[in-house]
Amino acid sequence: MIRLACFGAGRIGRVHALNAAMQPGVTLAYLADPVATPAREALAAQTGASIADPDTIFADGRIDGIIIASSTDSHAGLLLRAAEAGKAVFCEKPISLDMALTEEVMRKVEASGVPCMLGFQRRYDRSFRALRDRVASGASGPLEQVVMFSRDPAPPPRSYVETSGGMFRDSSIHDVDMARFLLNEPIASVYATGSCLISPEIGAAGDVDSVMITMVSASGRQVQITACRRGPMGYDQRLEVLCANEVSTAVQYPATRRSKIRPRGGDRRHGARAYQIAGACHGALAPWGQNSTI
Ligand SMILES: NC(=O)c1ccc[n+]([C@@H]2O[C@H](COP(=O)([O-])OP(=O)(O)OC[C@H]3O[C@@H](n4cnc5c(N)ncnc54)[C@H](O)[C@@H]3O)[C@@H](O)[C@H]2O)c1
């Protein structure tokens, strides 16, 4: 039996705690969150976890792994404690909002040898993974341009925004990660603009809710990201990659389907084609204030 502990009983903590507790062969032994809310108590009751403080959890030799799903400012400290205690760890993004601290935590966790995974789940979404594998296989020809749309279901509350690091580092971090995953080379330059078009609360917290980012890789390949804290269609993730031989798209849909689109005109004689991959994305987060059901 694998025994886990989860830090954070908020929106994403609920997703991870419920997922962990329903796995065969896994026990969610502890739930830690310093804020006593009815949601924390309900999650503990639903998962069978005991509410505990960090010292109890890290001192318990029977705990195999730690899930860090707490607020961003707690990640670095908890990652270091997990590494020191020799516990495998899954940590939500980001490690920290401070680059020097991020690098220090990376070094120490690596040196400790504990297995560590970060919450960049889009790399594991079926459609995005299939697209990336196809591009990496060389079948599409050299990659030239990437265009992404990334929309959350609904804007977060001001309290979340205030500790999140802001839209670019909190939300667009997933799109930047996906760009790096696809390009497999460093980004050389970034141009970005942000506006507050949706939520006056987000504006009052000094943040933006609608952004456009243009990135250029070291070899000159281009990425365009359009992201927003609200999607009229709900959680909305789409990606298009232009390669020399074909255009590939990944779209978040509940069911996987694939289709090839034949180009019009004479393109076919050059072997050019559009190749569409539509597949399941990870279970979408519920809008703020609603229960998540994945
Ligand atoms: N990968 C993703 O798609 C994704 C999605 C949502 C959130 N996140 C990340 O997950 C983290 C939490 O986000 P959320 O939406 O659940 O926020 P939230 O505000 O709903 O919940 C955060 C919870 O953490 C608790 N907390 C704060 N410090 C703690 C500590 N030291 N120990 C234990 N609990 C602590 C808070 O009391 C709160 O209950 C953030 O870092 C966010 O960036 C990732």
Side-chain angles (χ1 to χ4, degrees):
M1 182 64 73
I2 295 170
R3 289 168 56 84
L4 301 178
C6 179
F7 286 82
R11 194 173 63 126
I12 203 75
R14 182 178 155 78
V15 172
H16 291 311
L18 290 174
N19 280 343
M22 71 169 66
Q23 297 306 314
V26 173
T27 296
L28 186 71
Y30 297 119
L31 181 64
D33 192 314
V35 184
T37 58
R40 184 188 76 168
E41 312 307 315
L43 186 57
Q46 250 181 304
T47 55
S50 306
I51 292 170
D53 58 62
D55 290 343
T56 305
I57 294 170
F58 288 114
D60 187 335
R62 295 167 307 155
I63 290 296
D64 302 296
I66 304 288
I67 299 166
I68 303 175
S70 43
S71 311
T72 294
D73 54 5
S74 63
H75 295 183
L78 290 170
L79 271 166
L80 290 175
R81 287 199 72 175
E84 278 161 18
K87 314 283 189 199
V89 60
F90 168 85
C91 182
E92 267 304 344
K93 42 56 59 174
I95 293 174
S96 163
L97 299 175
D98 180 85
M99 190 52 85
L101 181 57
T102 300
E103 286 172 354
E104 181 193 332
V105 170
M106 281 167 59
R107 270 196 310 276
K108 288 185 173 164
V109 171
E110 242 171 63
S112 77
V114 300
C116 176
M117 185 178 187
L118 293 178
F120 290 108
Q121 73 278 0
R122 207 165 297 152
R123 290 180 177 223
Y124 303 93
D125 294 342
R126 256 184 294 165
S127 55
F128 290 85
R129 169 60 68 133
L131 188 153
R132 183 263 183 187
D133 288 350
R134 185 164 174 84
V135 170
S137 76
S140 310
L143 185 157
E144 293 155 3
Q145 291 181 321
V146 180
V147 179
M148 286 182 220
F149 292 95
S150 181
R151 297 182 183 122
D152 279 340
R158 180 173 177 165
S159 57
Y160 176 87
V161 170
E162 281 168 348
T163 59
S164 70
M167 169 115 189
F168 289 104
R169 289 187 291 182
D170 178 58
S171 179
S172 301
I173 188 172
H174 286 289
D175 311 304
V176 173
D177 178 64
M178 182 46 59
R180 284 288 282 107
F181 190 47
L182 282 164
L183 293 167
N184 199 26
E185 67 168 331
I187 301 296
S189 59
V190 179
Y191 311 80
T193 180
S195 298
C196 191
L197 303 177
I198 297 165
S199 165
E201 267 198 36
I202 290 180
D207 198 7
V208 293
D209 54 31
S210 307
V211 306
M212 289 195 173
I213 306 168
T214 301
M215 305 196 298
V216 183
S217 74
S219 68
R221 297 182 292 168
Q222 297 158 328
V223 179
Q224 178 65 50
I225 299 166
T226 297
C228 165
R229 289 282 200 186
R230 182 194 60 199
M233 304 187 307
Y235 190 58
D236 180 13
Q237 304 298 327
R238 282 175 279 144
L239 172 70
E240 181 179 290
V241 175
L242 170 69
C243 296
N245 302 337
E246 62 188 20
V247 174
S248 301
T249 62
V251 185
Q252 159 229 339
Y253 281 128
T256 298
R257 70 170 187 271
R258 285 160 168 258
S259 62
K260 279 186 186 174
I261 303 172
R262 287 201 182 281
R264 290 184 190 165
D267 283 1
R268 212 183 305 174
R269 69 174 178 266
H270 301 299
R273 60 196 185 280
Y275 186 79
Q276 230 179 16
I277 304 167
C281 203
H282 80 297
L285 282 173
W288 289 89
Q290 291 180 21
N291 279 343
S292 226
T293 51
I294 59 171

